[in-house]
Amino acid sequence: MDIFSALQTMASSGNLLPEKQFQCTICQQMFTDPVTTPCGHNFCQACLQSAWGGSEVCQCPTCNKSFTPRPELSVNMAFKELADTFRNIIVSSSASTLSAAKPGEVVCDVCAATSLQVRALKSCLGCLTSYCEAHLEPHQRVAALKVHRLIEPAKNLQDRMCKKHERLLEMFCRDERKYVCQFCTETEHKDHRAVTLADESGEMKVQIKKAEADFQQMIQERLKKVEEIKNCLKLSKVSAQKEVKESDHLFTSLIRSFEERRAEVNTEIMEQQQAAERRSEELVDQLQEEIAELQRRNSELKELRNTEDHLHLLQVTRAPSLMSPPPTRVWTEIGVPPEVGVGTARRALSKLDDALKKELEDQKKEEMKKMQKYAVDVVLDPNTAHPNIVLSLDGKQAGRGELLHIVPDNPQRFDPVICVIGKKGFLSGRFYFQVAVGTKTFWDLGVVRESVNRKGMITSKPENGFWTVRLRSGHEYRALDSPSVLLCLKEKPQTVGVFTDYEARTVSFFNVEARSHIYTFTGCLFSERIFPFFSPGVCDEGKNTAPLIITAADHET
């Protein structure tokens, strides 16, 4: 009868040897590659080598007997066969309660010695062994094993040993950026800055948290950009539909010979709209791809931040590609596709024969009347006026004073830029106001977001919440778009009309007397209350002392 049959017979009769007869007194586990000391005690080969380390004088862990020189030990094959057979019987009797390891999962090293592929529950950094639930039990019961550090199942545990000293890599040398054992820090790394893996891992987790927050911010910015593009596209469609209707109305009033031109204009409008849709879809697709990649990396960072496997965390996060954002486009420089079709029909009409001029003049007059129907009563807000600005009692005039007025330095006040805004803001709808500029040589007019910067120097452009037109040196008119646009005006406006359509996201400027268009900002990102904006400018050697005057709209103009 062989050993396995004999032990099975003993097991069936209830006379099986106690399990402790096959346990190593060092690791409290069943023997793996048992060796026998000259004094007759048995231990796992790896456990005894770890206990003796590199010392020449060796003691038996059980009886403390010393051996000099260090004895050469070989695996006790007979005892190994007996221990392995006993282990097979014990494991087989509880196999129904063990979880089979799936491909790629870490297996229990103890079970693997018996050819069983059982999923490991934890890996022990003290034993450098992975255990299933059954073989992990002594680490929860034996006091000497309870102090061992357990981590999530990990492969290649031997890589966690110092190749030079055969000790656990549990320190990190910050000077040489290397993982070292405790003995290394007492020898060649003695004067280096060495910290525990836990401390280094803690600092790395702080960096991970910051990177995670940065990724989350990037995700939110891109989600906001996606929503922005979608909203602008919706408004663009509405604008295009309005423009098609307007072109129909205009062309039906003209002679029949221009019917063909009307169809061409409509086609042009829709082609522009289709191009905007294609561009919007491309931008959204690119943003979605970047969001997916950022979310994937963010998930990896979250997993690393929660891991207890410090070495794995540090090894992975040292790779620059994980902690750094992936290559992405600079979306702040990517403009949202603007509304299309606006003014297409009117521009087409301006190119027609001189016979249409009277029709166009009548149309411009009608448009001016339509805009002036949305005229609002603008009163300047003294709490926002720069100390150099002189306001009239009725709040309708803003001039440049020579001396600074003593006024409260509140957060709403512009300083040092000389400007002021209206008291009332607008969160929806259309509104129109007009300002007499007369013969002034410097001025700025338009609308601004409520949240614009009011302290320090200001850069007037749509990205900063400014939609303005300005005059400099008495002849240079410029729309402060991105980039700014030099305006070539046939006539110097004496009164400037400003028309804002919140839903259409446009701000238009007109020469009131000439009933001519000056400039229109399109695709304006209105996300909050919008206020009328005024700057009377510098004195210009006394040539620009006249105030800006808010005038009432004449519906009969």
Side-chain angles (χ1 to χ4, degrees):
M1 180 182 297
D2 60 19
I3 295 176
F4 185 77
S5 300
L7 287 174
Q8 280 189 319
T9 301
M10 293 173 66
S12 61
S13 62
N15 296 321
L16 190 62
L17 292 172
E19 184 176 347
K20 67 180 181 179
Q21 298 295 327
F22 298 95
Q23 285 183 342
C24 171
T25 57
I26 296 177
C27 67
Q28 302 295 314
Q29 300 291 315
M30 295 182 67
F31 288 114
T32 301
D33 294 333
V35 295
T36 305
T37 61
C39 57
H41 294 107
N42 297 304
F43 306 94
C44 296
Q45 186 179 44
C47 293
L48 189 59
Q49 289 177 345
S50 177
W52 284 356
S55 175
E56 284 296 324
V57 179
C58 306
Q59 287 184 321
C60 173
T62 299
C63 66
N64 294 326
K65 184 175 181 179
S66 300
F67 310 107
T68 306
R70 180 171 180 161
E72 293 186 8
L73 302 176
S74 299
V75 176
N76 187 330
M77 298 307 297
F79 196 51
K80 170 179 170 57
E81 183 179 356
L82 187 64
D84 288 348
T85 303
F86 187 83
R87 181 187 293 108
N88 286 339
I89 294 174
I90 296 299
V91 172
S92 298
S93 65
S94 59
S96 60
T97 64
L98 301 177
S99 301
K102 298 178 181 179
E105 290 185 330
V106 178
V107 300
C108 172
D109 291 328
V110 181
C111 292
T114 65
S115 301
L116 289 177
Q117 298 294 303
V118 179
R119 181 172 61 85
L121 184 64
K122 293 286 184 180
S123 292
C124 175
L125 294 181
C127 307
L128 291 180
T129 305
S130 297
Y131 298 107
C132 64
E133 184 177 4
H135 291 113
L136 186 65
E137 186 274 333
H139 280 74
Q140 301 165 343
R141 172 173 50 83
V142 180
L145 297 178
K146 285 183 178 181
V147 298
H148 287 194
R149 191 188 310 160
L150 300 177
I151 63 173
E152 294 302 310
K155 297 181 179 179
N156 303 321
L157 291 174
Q158 288 300 325
D159 292 343
R160 298 170 181 268
M161 294 291 290
C162 175
K163 299 297 187 294
K164 185 173 183 179
H165 302 112
E166 292 296 322
R167 293 191 179 185
L168 186 65
L169 295 172
E170 53 186 354
M171 305 292 290
F172 180 74
C173 176
R174 287 179 171 172
D175 290 338
E176 296 190 16
R177 314 302 295 175
K178 291 174 60 176
Y179 307 106
V180 297
C181 69
Q182 185 66 43
F183 195 73
C184 290
T185 64
E186 299 169 359
T187 53
E188 60 261 40
H189 294 267
K190 181 178 180 180
D191 297 325
H192 294 181
R193 294 176 301 145
V195 296
T196 65
L197 292 185
D199 289 342
E200 185 68 11
S201 177
E203 290 198 12
M204 184 56 66
K205 286 185 177 182
V206 172
Q207 296 181 35
I208 289 176
K209 186 175 181 180
K210 182 180 181 302
E212 190 179 332
D214 291 341
F215 282 3
Q216 188 62 34
Q217 181 179 354
M218 292 177 70
I219 290 171
Q220 292 304 319
E221 288 173 352
R222 281 152 179 75
L223 288 172
K224 183 178 179 181
K225 196 73 172 182
V226 168
E227 190 63 26
E228 186 180 301
I229 291 172
K230 290 181 178 179
N231 288 337
C232 286
L233 183 58
K234 290 179 183 177
L235 293 169
S236 179
K237 288 181 178 180
V238 172
S239 177
Q241 291 169 356
K242 288 181 179 178
E243 196 68 17
V244 170
K245 291 180 180 178
E246 182 178 349
S247 70
D248 284 342
H249 174 73
L250 291 174
F251 277 101
T252 52
S253 65
L254 301 177
I255 58 178
R256 191 174 301 275
S257 61
F258 293 102
E259 282 292 326
E260 182 177 352
R261 181 57 179 160
R262 183 191 67 176
E264 292 176 0
V265 171
N266 288 348
T267 300
E268 181 182 350
I269 293 170
M270 297 315 296
E271 286 177 350
Q272 290 179 14
Q273 172 59 25
Q274 291 168 3
E277 290 182 2
R278 289 193 297 271
R279 175 61 175 159
S280 296
E281 290 171 357
E282 290 173 1
L283 291 176
V284 170
D285 289 343
Q286 292 174 19
L287 284 164
Q288 295 289 10
E289 289 177 3
E290 290 190 12
I291 290 169
E293 175 62 17
L294 289 169
Q295 288 175 333
R296 181 186 69 77
R297 291 202 184 189
N298 203 40
S299 297
E300 292 179 3
L301 290 177
K302 284 184 178 178
E303 291 180 6
L304 286 173
R305 183 160 54 83
N306 295 324
T307 185
E308 295 299 324
D309 186 349
H310 307 308
L311 182 61
H312 173 67
L313 178 145
L314 292 169
Q315 288 175 331
V316 171
T317 54
R318 290 300 168 194
S321 60
L322 179 64
M323 296 291 290
S324 302
T328 62
R329 297 186 69 174
V330 182
W331 287 102
T332 57
E333 298 179 2
I334 304 299
V336 175
E339 295 179 12
V340 300
V342 178
T344 303
R346 200 162 296 108
R347 289 194 301 272
L349 289 176
S350 66
K351 298 177 183 179
L352 296 178
D353 192 82
D354 290 340
L356 299 178
K357 288 183 178 180
K358 185 178 184 303
E359 183 71 24
L360 288 174
E361 287 298 322
D362 293 342
Q363 183 65 30
K364 287 193 293 184
K365 187 174 182 179
E366 285 299 317
E367 287 190 356
M368 185 66 69
K369 288 182 179 180
K370 289 179 181 178
M371 286 187 297
Q372 290 175 333
K373 290 180 180 179
Y374 295 97
V376 294
D377 183 19
V378 176
V379 178
L380 300 174
D381 186 355
N383 291 324
T384 67
H386 181 274
N388 258 130
I389 290 182
V390 177
L391 300 181
S392 62
L393 293 178
D394 62 359
K396 297 292 185 179
Q397 299 184 28
R400 170 67 187 265
E402 290 296 333
L403 300 176
L404 287 172
H405 293 80
I406 299 176
V407 292
D409 184 19
N410 54 60
Q412 295 80 26
R413 192 176 305 284
F414 287 90
D415 192 7
V417 179
I418 302 175
C419 51
V420 62
I421 63 175
K423 286 186 176 182
K424 181 181 179 181
F426 301 86
L427 198 55
S428 63
R430 301 171 178 175
F431 63 94
Y432 171 88
F433 62 93
Q434 58 187 41
V435 183
V437 296
T439 58
K440 287 179 65 63
T441 57
F442 279 73
W443 52 257
D444 292 72
L445 292 173
V447 297
V448 298
R449 282 200 296 253
E450 184 174 19
S451 63
V452 294
N453 178 35
R454 306 190 186 196
K455 304 298 181 183
M457 298 310 296
I458 292 173
T459 301
S460 296
K461 57 182 180 179
E463 294 93 308
N464 296 338
F466 290 79
W467 294 272
T468 59
V469 168
R470 77 180 186 189
L471 169 65
R472 293 292 183 268
S473 303
H475 61 83
E476 182 186 297
Y477 294 89
R478 189 174 290 272
L480 300 183
D481 210 330
S482 295
S484 65
V485 179
L486 182 64
L487 304 174
C488 298
L489 305 183
K490 294 180 179 180
E491 301 174 276
K492 294 184 63 174
Q494 301 296 302
T495 303
V496 177
V498 183
F499 177 71
T500 302
D501 189 330
Y502 199 104
E503 281 68 34
R505 297 179 181 253
T506 60
V507 180
S508 298
F509 296 80
F510 298 88
N511 182 333
V512 175
E513 286 80 14
R515 299 192 301 276
S516 61
H517 174 254
I518 295 176
Y519 190 77
T520 293
F521 291 87
T522 61
C524 305
L525 300 181
F526 298 149
S527 56
E528 55 189 91
R529 206 172 298 276
I530 303 299
F531 289 79
F533 173 86
F534 311 82
S535 175
V538 299
C539 288
D540 193 19
E541 299 179 347
K543 293 181 289 185
N544 194 49
T545 57
L548 293 173
I549 303 174
I550 302 170
T551 63
D554 183 0
H555 296 183
E556 300 304 320
T557 299

